[in-house]
Amino acid sequence: MAGRIRDEDIAVVRERTSIADIISETVTLRSAGGGNLKGLCPFHDEKTPSFTVAPARNVYFCHGCGAGGDAIKFLMDAEHLTFVESVERLADRANIQLRYMEAGPAPVRQQQGQKQRLVAAHAAAAEFYAGQLGTAGARPAREFLAQRGFDRTAAQTYGCGFAPDAWDPLTKHLRQKGFTGQELVTAGLSREARSGSLIDRFRRRLLWPIKDLAGDVIGFGARKLFDDDDGPKYLNTPETPLYKKSHVLYGISQAKREIARQGRAVIVEGYTDVMACHLAGVPTAVATCGTAFGADHITVLRRLLMDTDAVAGEIIFTFDGDAAGQKAALRAFEDDQRFVGRTFIAVSPDNMDPCDLRLAKGDLAVRDLVARREPLVDFALRHILNRFDLDTVDGRVEAMRQAAPLVAKLKDREKRPEYVRKLAGDLGMEIEPVQRAVLNAAAQSGAGPTRRGGAPEPAPAGRRVPVVDNPQSMVEREALKLALQVPVLAGPMFDALAPESYLNPVHQAVRAAIEAAGGAASATAGAVWIERVRDACGDLGAAALVGELAVEPLRIDAEPDPRYVSITLARLEWGAVTNRIRDLKSKVQRVNPAANKDEYFTLFGELLSLEQHARALREQAMGGL
């Protein structure tokens, strides 16, 4: 795990960043009076500007969709970067050298200066390779692309290139640009020959640049073109400080906006499949790079999909219909449990991958392939049942035994009874024995409690997650935990929320203590901050709760970031506003509009305003998608 950026450095980045400069690169801003600026919101469609930027406080807020935060949060939402990536990009702009703390026994994160050099080397390499694609020696590469339906424009769009038939042209090119031999080896662009001199990593191959979420080239995928090439069919960049194959998804930089907008990601198997899908009108396609789809890829996609309890997206796997493809699909079902969203599989009836399908039947066939997707659990169940003779008693019983654990694994418990009925129908059996088999399988697997939306409730070993009274109380606790555990993230967003948003009296006392201690925006995480809040508590119950909340796990599987803070605080305020709406509706119903006309319309106007505010908060609580 990479080192964490020091809190004081994050604070310096915030102080030295002009939010107006950052946002004006994306949004046209005009004066709105009082020192504020206004423009059209980049996060939702609107005709009248409701997106306000307050340069004096270095924050933004949209009155239409509820999006808001600082410059770091804006980059995260607009560019789909992680918190760390956003801080690093702003630090680069401001020439701030970031410092990192070690995370446990893991090594310290690479120096930011080194990362910049490696990214620059890859950018220069991508430009060099792309230029080589037009040379005479690259004719086989151009023919390969043309045979698969990709013209010169497509090749340029995806940065396709060619590694020439020579030992070290790229190495010499990059050395002339000032990159050291050690930098080229570290980047995976060059390697040592037996003679000790440096030679190019790739030779006589068609290349695809592999980019990260920010759009920086971090590696290459190389396809064999010549029969006398004794290397593997595909050769990728080795593991480097930039390129971690278990985290990388080809096409993610082009697909990220559509994935976030549509709430859907399509997983394909190769570079040409990604290109074919995008060109055919499926812009959400991505592919792994030389490794199986795994947990780290899921983490990347969950962030783009906003795969949370409130918002669940779609993940569609495409596999060949052969035995290898079916095996890969069943492996994907195991990963299905890591998503909150719904997982599907799309298999071409002719066992063709998307690239071949586009060549044979056109763009519409590729779009139809995705449209005809079926739930992954249905595919997995059918695969199991097909292995048995269901016309015999032994076959039906054994099929039930094999299929029951799969139904028991379903993360959304509300779906289990329906699949029990479906399985019983497919087997031609009564519901009761199938239901018993599923319940027994669930008991043996130790299936734990699930959150709304189906995701397993995180409960790290040795740390108890207390039961809360209701959803509102739960979100109040989460907001307080954020202020206590990660005040640098919670900061002004937490402090700006009215104390009346908390309904639980003890939670109100803790919120008052945080304010009395100077507010989350004034603090950095650690024991000193926790003790300051505890000392500010007016009663023993609140002081004890501060200690409990300081160590209670947050209800998120990954590291918290400003997006999670925003969603949590929106849910908190939404609950309070909803209660106020309920009270107002009751009051409006008790007022006679004929006898108390002024009071009635005053209350009714306040009710309409609150309901509009509640809708905006609900949008924000769902991640703004």
Side-chain angles (χ1 to χ4, degrees), residues 2-164:
R4 180 169 168 264
I5 302 174
R6 291 180 179 272
D7 291 341
E8 52 266 38
D9 288 357
I10 296 174
V12 171
V13 168
R14 283 195 171 106
E15 290 171 4
R16 296 188 187 176
T17 297
S18 166
I19 194 168
D21 290 346
I22 299 299
I23 294 179
S24 62
E25 294 179 0
T26 306
V27 180
T28 299
L29 298 174
R30 304 194 184 283
S31 175
N36 288 345
L37 304 171
K38 185 168 279 191
L40 293 174
C41 180
F43 305 118
H44 81 288
D45 294 330
E46 63 177 5
K47 295 182 179 179
T48 303
S50 61
F51 185 84
T52 301
V53 178
R57 296 188 297 279
N58 251 358
V59 296
Y60 69 92
F61 181 77
C62 176
H63 298 276
C65 69
D70 59 9
I72 298 173
K73 180 69 163 52
F74 181 82
L75 280 186
M76 291 176 66
D77 288 346
E79 299 295 331
H80 299 289
L81 303 179
T82 65
F83 177 71
V84 171
E85 289 167 346
S86 297
V87 174
E88 288 176 343
R89 182 172 292 190
L90 294 174
D92 286 345
R93 289 175 60 105
N95 294 317
I96 298 171
Q97 182 67 47
L98 298 175
R99 295 168 296 169
Y100 299 84
M101 297 184 295
E102 290 192 21
V108 180
R109 186 184 181 95
Q110 76 262 18
Q111 291 295 319
Q112 183 68 5
Q114 181 199 42
K115 179 181 177 181
Q116 292 171 331
R117 293 286 294 172
L118 299 186
V119 168
H122 276 86
E127 183 180 5
F128 173 83
Y129 285 137
Q132 292 294 315
L133 188 62
T135 62
R139 181 176 178 179
R142 296 194 299 272
E143 290 177 346
F144 177 93
L145 290 170
Q147 290 167 3
R148 280 155 181 76
F150 305 120
D151 58 16
R152 178 183 297 181
T153 300
Q156 291 174 345
T157 299
Y158 292 89
C160 296
F162 178 70

Side-chain angles (χ1 to χ4, degrees), residues 43-360:
F43 305 118
H44 81 288
D45 294 330
E46 63 177 5
K47 295 182 179 179
T48 303
S50 61
F51 185 84
T52 301
V53 178
R57 296 188 297 279
N58 251 358
V59 296
Y60 69 92
F61 181 77
C62 176
H63 298 276
C65 69
D70 59 9
I72 298 173
K73 180 69 163 52
F74 181 82
L75 280 186
M76 291 176 66
D77 288 346
E79 299 295 331
H80 299 289
L81 303 179
T82 65
F83 177 71
V84 171
E85 289 167 346
S86 297
V87 174
E88 288 176 343
R89 182 172 292 190
L90 294 174
D92 286 345
R93 289 175 60 105
N95 294 317
I96 298 171
Q97 182 67 47
L98 298 175
R99 295 168 296 169
Y100 299 84
M101 297 184 295
E102 290 192 21
V108 180
R109 186 184 181 95
Q110 76 262 18
Q111 291 295 319
Q112 183 68 5
Q114 181 199 42
K115 179 181 177 181
Q116 292 171 331
R117 293 286 294 172
L118 299 186
V119 168
H122 276 86
E127 183 180 5
F128 173 83
Y129 285 137
Q132 292 294 315
L133 188 62
T135 62
R139 181 176 178 179
R142 296 194 299 272
E143 290 177 346
F144 177 93
L145 290 170
Q147 290 167 3
R148 280 155 181 76
F150 305 120
D151 58 16
R152 178 183 297 181
T153 300
Q156 291 174 345
T157 299
Y158 292 89
C160 296
F162 178 70
D165 186 6
W167 290 109
D168 61 354
L170 176 69
T171 300
K172 288 180 178 177
H173 177 74
L174 294 180
R175 291 294 293 268
Q176 290 173 356
K177 285 184 169 292
F179 295 99
T180 67
Q182 184 57 54
E183 285 175 332
L184 300 184
V185 172
T186 301
L189 296 170
S190 304
R191 60 185 178 87
E192 285 191 5
R194 294 174 184 172
S195 63
S197 60
L198 289 185
I199 60 175
D200 296 350
R201 168 77 55 182
F202 304 111
R203 177 171 170 258
R204 305 171 70 208
R205 285 179 173 250
L206 171 63
L207 296 179
W208 285 268
I210 300 170
K211 299 179 180 181
D212 62 12
L213 270 169
D216 292 325
V217 178
I218 57 174
F220 293 91
R223 210 279 186 188
K224 181 168 69 173
L225 296 170
F226 301 95
D227 293 337
D228 60 349
D229 185 339
D230 58 0
K233 184 176 180 180
Y234 283 94
L235 179 66
N236 287 356
T237 294
E239 294 280 308
T240 72
L242 295 182
Y243 183 85
K244 308 293 182 186
K245 64 183 180 182
S246 63
H247 293 71
V248 175
L249 288 166
Y250 176 72
I252 194 70
S253 61
Q254 290 106 325
K256 63 183 181 182
R257 294 185 189 278
E258 284 299 313
I259 289 174
R261 189 181 71 83
Q262 296 185 25
R264 171 188 294 176
V266 178
I267 316 300
V268 298
E269 294 189 308
Y271 306 120
T272 56
D273 292 331
V274 170
M275 293 174 67
C277 283
H278 289 190
L279 295 173
V282 182
T284 59
V286 294
T288 59
C289 300
T291 185
F293 186 82
D296 292 325
H297 299 122
I298 291 172
T299 300
V300 174
L301 287 179
R302 286 197 67 193
R303 180 158 54 84
L304 290 178
L305 290 164
M306 278 308 299
D307 189 49
T308 66
D309 290 350
V311 181
E314 288 187 4
I315 303 89
I316 303 169
F317 295 93
T318 64
F319 294 108
D320 293 342
D322 58 15
Q326 292 189 4
K327 185 176 180 181
L330 294 176
R331 276 201 311 270
F333 178 75
E334 295 299 320
D335 289 328
D336 166 77
Q337 308 311 303
R338 298 175 183 269
F339 286 106
V340 172
R342 297 161 292 167
T343 50
F344 297 84
I345 185 168
V347 179
S348 169
D350 301 311
N351 295 341
M352 290 188 288
D353 59 36
C355 183
D356 291 337
L357 184 62
R358 178 172 179 260
L359 274 175

Side-chain angles (χ1 to χ4, degrees), residues 560-611:
D561 57 25
R563 186 191 299 271
Y564 184 68
V565 173
S566 175
I567 290 172
T568 301
L569 296 181
R571 289 176 179 173
L572 174 61
E573 189 177 3
W574 181 73
V577 170
T578 300
N579 287 332
R580 175 64 178 151
I581 288 173
R582 187 169 51 247
D583 293 339
L584 263 179
K585 283 183 175 179
S586 175
K587 190 177 292 185
V588 167
Q589 289 175 1
R590 295 194 302 270
V591 174
N592 186 327
N596 301 282
K597 183 178 179 181
D598 291 341
E599 182 183 3
Y600 179 86
F601 282 108
T602 298
L603 291 173
F604 191 76
E606 185 180 355
L607 179 60
L608 289 178
S609 177
L610 276 178
E611 287 180 334

